[in-house]
Structures are given as structure tokens and as C-alpha cells.
Amino acid sequence: MTDWPEARSDDNRGGRYGRGSASAQPEGARVMRQVRRGQAAPSGQGAYGGVPQQPSYVDGHGSGGGYDSGYNTGQVYGTPGGGGPGGPGGDGGYAPQRPAPDWRRRIKWTAITVVTVLVVTTVGTYFWADSKLNRDVDLSKVIDRPEKGEGTNYLIVGSDSREGMTAEDKKKLHTGSADGKRTDSMMILHTGDNGPTLISLPRDSNVEIPSFVGSESGKTYPGTGREVKLNAAYAEDGPELLVRTVEFNTGLHIDHYVEIGFGGFASIVDAVGGVEMDIPQDIKDTKSGADFKKGKQTLNGEEALAFVRTRYALAGSDLDRTKNQQKFLSALANQVATPGTVLNPFKLYPTMGAGLDSLIVDKDMGLFDLADMFWSMKGVSGGEGTSMNMPIAGSTGGNLLWDKTKVKQLVSQLNNDEKVTVKGN
């Protein structure tokens, strides 16, 4: 009696099935799509002599073991580890595992991005700041100049210009409403290898007006030996004649000119958040608006302007005022150069904007020259340099006479960039 139904004779089963098999185990070649058939055994080596090796059924992986339908594993198609391409142990349709992040590459590109942003910001800031400088003074108009010495000499001028100020500003700052411009303070700052030297030139200094070329007319005015107060040179023909007069009476070559008016000075102080000063005595001056008690205090723009302009309440009048101006400008430069200002864009840019808008400089003045000037003034307040008044020998008719011997020695030391040993008033 045959085991097979009549419709399924041995001849119809093909070479896939062994003949005369007495196994009771059903053949399930059609049970699962994922079944892999093993490689056929070489001829003559099959269990029944030439019968091909039958597929094995194990957990869908095609390795040894007993019969299994493959549906009891709990695996979900398309999940990692299910035997798909890229997955361990299989070649079904499963997604590969995500590679670990390359932190070294990420850090590299982050650093490149940060450096690029810093470079672009720095370059943009430089051109913005450079474009705001008012290069209105032409030192090429100055004639018969002394030879340039070692180091760099800046002529720093505080003028009483009220340009851009409203009537309310003038009243608040006690500036009055006089027309034109006069110099309220003048200083020479020398920078070199032996530390900075800051020298105040009292406005009442007695000087000779030399021959000069008019800054506007271009006409030559010969010298007549006329003697005036130093601030009169500025009032007569502006910065170019002032530089010519200082160079003629000192023999010192001036490399750069920097000027700031009342309003600009107050704006810088306010932008930087005020400047701390240790005021040595009570000061009250109705003309400048000064009203201070002795001791440390932070001065805003209005108070700072009153402090540097005060002279009638001081025993030494203009000489004492120039000393206060030196102290304050050094303290201001020190405040501007602090990390709290330089590293804080919300303070740095307003300070730079206020300062650059209000400064008048010579045509050859650059931002690096301006930075050198401020840094050197900071050095004066830090004890790295020297501050002094021009040596005075006496006075005549209200004009202060310079000590010519000491002035000659001082200028020689500055021209040779030597350490200054001359003492001023």
C-alpha cells in the first residue's frame, strides 16, 4: 500500500524528494519564504545515494537544529539584529546600525567656525572704527620742522569746542556759549622703550609765534618775535599753528595730533560707565560747576568735565589743574583698557563710538597709533611712566616762563628716547 495519494505519485514529485522515504516528519519546503537551502551534497555522498541535502529549519538563520516554523522568535522584520543586510547573521532587508559620532571632526569644524567669526568680526570692527576717525589736521602744512627723534610724540589737546552741543548741554556742563575754539589743555605724550612720559604745557605758557603758513589761506606769515600765551596760537590759526609753535619753542618733533572737545570728553566718560578718582581735597568752583568732597568717588561725564576744567579753586591755579588733567586722563585710559570694557561689546562699541566721533586727529593717524597712545597713558597711571609739567622758571605779566635749560635737557632725553630725569613743576 502506498503512502501517497493517487494524484501525487512518486514520479510526479520530481527530484526534490527522496524515494521511498519512510519518515513520518512532514516535508515543509513551502512553509517559510526566508528559508535558505543548503548547498547540495556532492554526487554519491547523499544519505540515500545522490539525493540532495534538504533545507534545515532554524530560527530563520539556516543553521542546524530541529524543525521550526520561524514564527515563534518574536523578531520583527526590518529591525537591527534580525539577519538583514548589514545586520549580524543575515541578509534580509534590515537597516544598518548608525555609526558613532566623530567627535574629533566635530571639534575641528567648531574651532574653525569660531575662529572665522572672530576674524570677520575683528576685521569689520577695524574698518568701522577707522572710518569714524576725523582726520582733519594736515601736518604737511607745518613748515621748518625739527628732525624726528626716537620714539613717538603725540600732542594731545582738549579744546573748549561746543560743536554739536545744545543749549541745554551747555548749561548742564557749565561750558558757556563763547564762539570759536580755544585750547583748554595741552599735553605731549612721548612713547618709547623707556616708558611713557606725559608732559603738560600750561595754557598760559609764554611762547614766540614763529613764521607759518596759514592753514586755510596758504599764505606765509613771517615771524616777528611776537610773544603770546600758548593757547593764543590755536585761537589764531588752529591745530597746524599750534603744532608749529610747540615745535619751534621746544625743538621736539610732533608725530601725531589728537584733539577732543567738551561734549566728546563727557560722552566718553559716560560710555565707559564713569571713572573712579581719589580727589585729594574738597573742591567747589561755580565757574566749572565742580562740587566735590575729598575721597574716592566715581565721576560721570558732567562731573569729570568740571573736575578737569577747575582752576580757580586750586592754590596752584593752572599748574594744579594740569596735574588733575593728567591724573584723570590716565585713569580714563586705564578704565577703557580694562577687560570689563574691551571684552564687553555692549560697553566697548558705545565707548569706541563716542570717542572716535569726537576725536580730531591728523591725516596720518591710524587706529594702532591711537591704541598706542591710550595704552601708554594707561602705563603712566600704572607707574610705568612719568608725568610732569613743563619746567617753569617764573612768570611775567601773567605768562609762565619755561626754564630753558631744563627744557633743552628734557627735549634731548626725549629725542634720544632716554629715561627722563628732568623734574617739572
Side-chain angles (χ1 to χ4, degrees), residues 25 151 205 241 271 323 354 362 392:
Q25 181 172 320
S205 297
L241 179 56
K323 293 176 182 178
D362 65 90
I392 302 297

Side-chain angles (χ1 to χ4, degrees), residues 54-233:
Q54 299 301 306
S56 57
Y57 305 90
V58 293
D59 299 339
H61 295 293
S63 57
Y67 172 82
D68 193 330
S69 67
Y71 291 94
N72 61 347
T73 62
Q75 295 178 352
V76 179
Y77 287 82
T79 58
D91 49 21
Y94 303 116
Q97 290 185 349
R98 187 175 182 179
D102 187 347
W103 288 108
R104 183 174 297 179
R105 185 170 180 271
R106 290 187 179 185
I107 292 173
K108 171 187 173 182
W109 283 106
T110 298
I112 291 174
T113 301
V114 170
V115 170
T116 301
V117 170
L118 288 175
V119 170
V120 171
T121 302
T122 301
V123 172
T125 299
Y126 175 87
F127 284 105
W128 166 78
D130 188 71
S131 68
K132 293 179 76 66
L133 277 177
N134 300 306
R135 296 183 173 94
D136 297 337
V137 179
D138 188 358
L139 295 184
S140 67
K141 296 179 179 179
V142 181
I143 62 174
D144 300 334
R145 308 190 68 185
E147 291 186 9
K148 177 176 171 52
E150 299 294 326
T152 303
N153 298 313
Y154 300 88
L155 180 59
I156 304 171
V157 175
S159 76
D160 64 0
S161 171
R162 298 156 179 84
E163 185 176 352
M165 296 175 63
T166 65
E168 183 179 351
D169 291 334
K170 295 174 184 178
K171 181 179 179 180
K172 177 182 177 183
L173 298 177
H174 300 273
T175 64
S177 300
D179 294 329
K181 293 196 302 184
R182 286 157 292 277
T183 51
D184 214 49
S185 62
M186 291 159 284
M187 303 179 190
I188 294 174
L189 174 67
H190 174 85
T191 65
D193 295 332
N194 285 290
T197 301
L198 185 62
I199 308 164
S200 286
L201 309 176
R203 56 183 281 175
D204 294 337
S205 297
N206 191 81
V207 294
E208 179 183 338
I209 298 292
S211 58
F212 68 97
V213 174
S215 58
E216 298 294 336
S217 66
K219 180 180 177 181
T220 299
Y221 297 89
T224 61
R226 177 167 51 103
E227 295 184 347
V228 297
K229 292 182 178 180
L230 181 58
N231 65 342

Side-chain angles (χ1 to χ4, degrees), residues 388-399:
M388 58 186 290
N389 275 320
M390 187 65 81
I392 302 297
S395 63
T396 177
N399 293 4

